[in-house]
Amino acid sequence: MPTDRRPRPPSVSERLSAYLMQQTALGQRMTDAITQLRRRTVPTHWSNLFGVVSLACVIVLMATGLFLMFFYTPSSTLVEYDGGYSPLHGAEMSKALDSTLFISFDIRGGLLMRQAHHWAGLLLPASLILQLLSTYFTGGFRTPRRGNWVLLFLIFLVALIGGWSGYALPDDMLSGSGLRIVEGIVLGIPFIGTWLSTLLFGGEFPGEIIAHLYPIHVAVVPALLITFIAVRITVAYSQKPPQFAGIGRTEDNVVGIPMLPNAAARAGGLLFIVMGLLFLISATITVSPIWLYGPAAAGDASAGSQPDWYTGFLDGALRLVPPGWEFVWLDHTWTIAILAPLALVGVFLVFVVTYPFIESWITGDRREHHILDRPRDTPTRTGVGVAGIIFYGALWGAGSADVITTHFHLTLEGVVLSFQVLVVLGPTIGFILARRVCLALQRKDRELLLHGYETGRIVRLPGGEYIEVHKPIGEYQRLRLTRAPDHTPLALRPDERGAVPTAQRLRAQLSRFFFEDRVAPVPEVALETTDHAYGVEATRGDEATHDDEATHDDERQLR
């Protein structure tokens, strides 16, 4: 029976879309953009997905926050509660808490939206911290991406401000306790503390703090987040994406998959998975049950109250200061218990955001880097990172010293003393151990390059000697091990007057501290000798079976 094989004529919508894409200026620009995205290659690595998780959190925060705006009342005016939660009927509370309870119990889906907003706010700082750590330990902050590091840190800082301001908006007993701590910190600042407290709270505590924090949370923080994220995406798109060492990968090319549709499909899938999981958790796990805390009161505080996890390190810094750290000078009481934690945390944050510039100055490295490092190949940088993690972790753990005391039946003084010792000695011990572990791993890599990996097969030589047969590593692993950076300490060079400036001396000492204790890379001559000993110049064959899958993946991506 004859079959009509004529092509189906295009529909009206298809003809219209084709006309818009080909005949209009906007359509042509969109077509060019899609073409560029199809041609752009991006590497595939699990650490690249932290940015997608952060973006999913921001989308959930914006969507749920927009919903909550229609029902929340940012006012400290007292009213009598008569909503859907009967245990609080007749209780006097602010309109802020009353409207939050109204959202939770009287709006269909309101509790889900409020909890999704809170869970996304808890996950966002975690994903940003992991993104910062993965960028730091792989050297992804080096030239030309130092600006990206600063933008990522600013996004993290804005997320902290947004979380803290939103934490106080329900005006329940827990958030009221946190605001009371903030007031004490502000009042402890010499000279300007009282003025700052009046400006922030609008008078005596609690004042108009809710009305002051609300525009910060719903306008300033979203605007900054969107701006910084847009700038970071724009800057990252204008640069080549960084990649780990592998077959065919150099400083001048990118081996991976097309951004459109492959990488976009992966990122989009993860985006929807994260958003779905956030709403699933919000529908099944309660967070911030403000109806159990009750309304805030200026003279009361919640027992065992804890801030949200991302600000725990600030609370811990306050708890670790020994008592009695204050003195009177210039007719003002200088409370070191406030100033010391503020200075310590401030120096730590400044060090984090400026570290790329500090390392560049110490090493004198101004080259562009598009191949990422393995943490073991930069022992000092890895040690510094581990020291920072221990320092942050000690402050964070100290923020829950009272809860640790009650749950494990310990003395509060003993718990605080343990964290005081950890915050002082822990970073140094962590730095030394991490650097030694990195150097040991480098020596292990050197052994693999020179002698291959152990097969577990024992053979007997004609002379009666028993040896274990070694096989050479595969090409993929060989490239990873031979791409280790070979830095040498900077040499002191006198200026035109024959003198060595103090800054140059300091720079040389820091450079020796960074690079003097290292494992020298294997010379090419030794590698060639090893290759001939194993006979790898003929074929790689079965000598790298444990690396074949990774090698084939890289070769497919290169093609």
Side-chain angles (χ1 to χ4, degrees):
M1 185 175 180
T3 303
D4 187 3
R5 299 183 179 276
R6 290 177 299 176
R8 180 182 63 85
S11 63
V12 176
S13 60
E14 291 175 342
R15 290 197 298 268
L16 179 60
S17 61
Y19 172 80
L20 292 177
M21 296 296 288
Q22 297 175 5
Q23 302 300 326
T24 63
L26 178 60
Q28 292 176 358
R29 285 197 293 268
M30 292 179 60
T31 302
D32 294 340
I34 293 174
T35 302
Q36 291 179 4
L37 290 176
R38 290 182 182 276
R39 294 175 179 174
R40 185 176 177 86
T41 303
V42 295
T44 57
H45 195 265
W46 59 266
S47 60
N48 297 334
L49 301 178
F50 289 131
V52 180
V53 177
S54 302
L55 183 60
C57 294
V58 172
I59 293 175
V60 173
L61 284 171
M62 297 295 178
T64 56
L66 185 62
F67 173 87
L68 297 174
M69 281 178 57
F70 289 103
F71 306 101
Y72 177 76
T73 304
S75 173
S76 300
T77 304
L78 297 179
V79 296
E80 185 175 313
Y81 180 71
D82 60 351
Y85 187 66
S86 56
L88 286 179
H89 278 179
E92 192 177 58
M93 60 183 65
S94 65
K95 286 185 178 181
L97 180 58
D98 180 77
S99 62
T100 307
L101 290 172
F102 177 74
I103 293 172
S104 302
F105 294 102
D106 300 300
I107 299 296
R108 187 180 298 275
L111 183 59
L112 175 64
M113 289 295 183
R114 194 176 72 82
Q115 295 200 147
H117 192 77
H118 200 121
W119 279 117
L122 293 176
L123 180 60
L124 178 59
S127 62
L128 290 173
I129 287 177
L130 291 175
Q131 196 173 353
L132 284 166
L133 290 177
S134 64
T135 303
Y136 173 84
F137 283 110
T138 59
F141 56 80
R142 295 170 296 173
T143 305
R145 297 176 184 85
R146 294 184 296 183
N148 282 0
W149 172 267
V150 175
L151 287 171
L152 183 59
F153 179 83
L154 291 177
I155 293 173
F156 171 69
L157 200 61
V158 172
L160 294 186
I161 296 174
W164 170 76
S165 59
Y167 173 85
L169 290 182
D171 200 29
D172 60 296
M173 183 66 74
L174 183 61
S175 62
S177 301
L179 287 176
R180 198 62 158 171
I181 296 174
V182 172
E183 185 207 21
I185 294 174
V186 175
L187 288 175
I189 301 176
F191 297 105
I192 61 173
T194 304
W195 177 79
L196 285 178
S197 177
T198 303
L199 180 65
L200 179 62
F201 290 90
E204 292 293 329
F205 183 87
E208 300 295 329
I209 183 63
I210 301 298
H212 291 176
L213 290 180
Y214 183 71
I216 295 176
H217 186 73
V218 303
V220 177
V221 168
L224 291 177
L225 271 180
I226 293 174
T227 301
F228 289 149
I229 291 175
V231 173
R232 177 173 165 79
I233 292 176
T234 303
V235 174
Y237 184 80
S238 64
Q239 302 168 347
K240 288 191 301 183
Q243 58 186 347
F244 286 94
I247 296 177
R249 300 178 182 180
T250 67
E251 294 283 357
D252 301 321
N253 71 346
V254 179
V255 177
I257 60 177
M259 178 174 286
L260 196 69
N262 303 62
R266 294 186 181 189
L270 179 62
L271 187 78
F272 286 108
I273 289 174
V274 173
M275 292 191 294
L277 288 176
L278 282 173
F279 278 97
L280 177 62
I281 294 173
S282 304
T284 55
I285 302 177
T286 301
V287 63
S288 185
I290 57 172
W291 52 90
L292 299 180
Y293 304 143
D300 298 328
S302 298
S305 60
Q306 297 290 301
D308 280 337
W309 74 269
Y310 46 82
T311 56
F313 75 104
L314 300 174
D315 195 12
L318 294 172
R319 300 189 184 201
L320 291 184
V321 179
W325 276 28
E326 63 181 28
F327 60 91
V328 178
W329 183 51
L330 299 178
D331 294 331
H332 286 79
T333 300
W334 297 73
T335 306
I336 308 301
I338 299 297
L339 299 179
L342 290 177
L344 188 65
V345 172
V347 170
F348 174 72
L349 295 178
V350 170
F351 177 77
V352 171
V353 71
T354 58
Y355 181 84
F357 305 93
I358 296 174
E359 181 177 304
S360 177
W361 177 75
I362 292 174
T363 61
D365 189 0
R366 300 293 188 270
R367 298 170 299 170
E368 290 192 358
H369 295 274
H370 303 290
I371 298 295
L372 298 174
D373 295 329
R374 295 190 305 163
R376 68 181 64 181
D377 294 331
T378 54
T380 302
R381 179 198 298 160
T382 302
V384 171
V386 171
I389 292 174
I390 295 176
F391 176 78
Y392 177 90
L395 296 182
W396 181 76
S400 300
D402 53 342
V403 177
I404 295 174
T405 298
T406 56
H407 279 63
F408 296 97
H409 306 289
L410 303 172
T411 62
L412 181 61
E413 293 79 7
V415 173
V416 172
L417 179 61
S418 300
F419 280 111
Q420 287 173 339
V421 173
L422 182 60
V423 81
V424 174
L425 300 180
T428 302
I429 297 174
F431 172 80
I432 294 173
L433 290 178
R435 189 159 72 160
R436 300 317 301 176
V437 168
C438 289
L439 292 173
L441 291 174
Q442 286 187 28
R443 293 188 180 94
K444 178 63 176 178
D445 291 344
R446 183 184 178 91
E447 291 295 320
L448 286 175
L449 281 172
L450 292 176
H451 307 294
Y453 65 93
E454 300 174 354
T455 63
R457 185 163 63 93
I458 307 299
V459 298
R460 183 179 180 182
L461 299 181
E465 179 185 1
Y466 289 92
I467 63 170
E468 182 180 11
V469 176
H470 285 222
K471 284 190 176 181
I473 61 177
E475 184 180 357
Y476 175 77
Q477 191 173 2
R478 177 188 293 268
L479 283 173
R480 292 174 63 228
L481 300 184
T482 55
R483 286 289 180 88
D486 183 22
H487 293 295
T488 55
L490 293 176
L492 286 175
R493 295 179 180 178
D495 55 18
E496 61 276 2
R497 296 176 299 175
V500 179
T502 304
Q504 188 69 13
R505 293 180 183 274
L506 176 62
R507 184 181 179 187
Q509 292 175 357
L510 292 174
S511 178
R512 285 195 299 270
F513 173 75
F514 257 72
F515 303 124
E516 199 167 40
D517 194 2
R518 64 191 178 93
V519 176
V522 180
E524 291 293 336
V525 176
L527 288 177
E528 293 175 1
T529 304
T530 303
D531 289 347
H532 284 282
Y534 284 115
V536 297
E537 71 278 19
T539 176
R540 199 167 62 86
D542 297 329
E543 295 171 350
T545 55
H546 65 299
D547 283 330
D548 279 347
E549 183 177 353
T551 301
H552 294 332
D553 287 344
D554 267 16
E555 289 175 347
R556 284 195 298 269
Q557 292 177 4
L558 182 60
R559 290 196 295 268

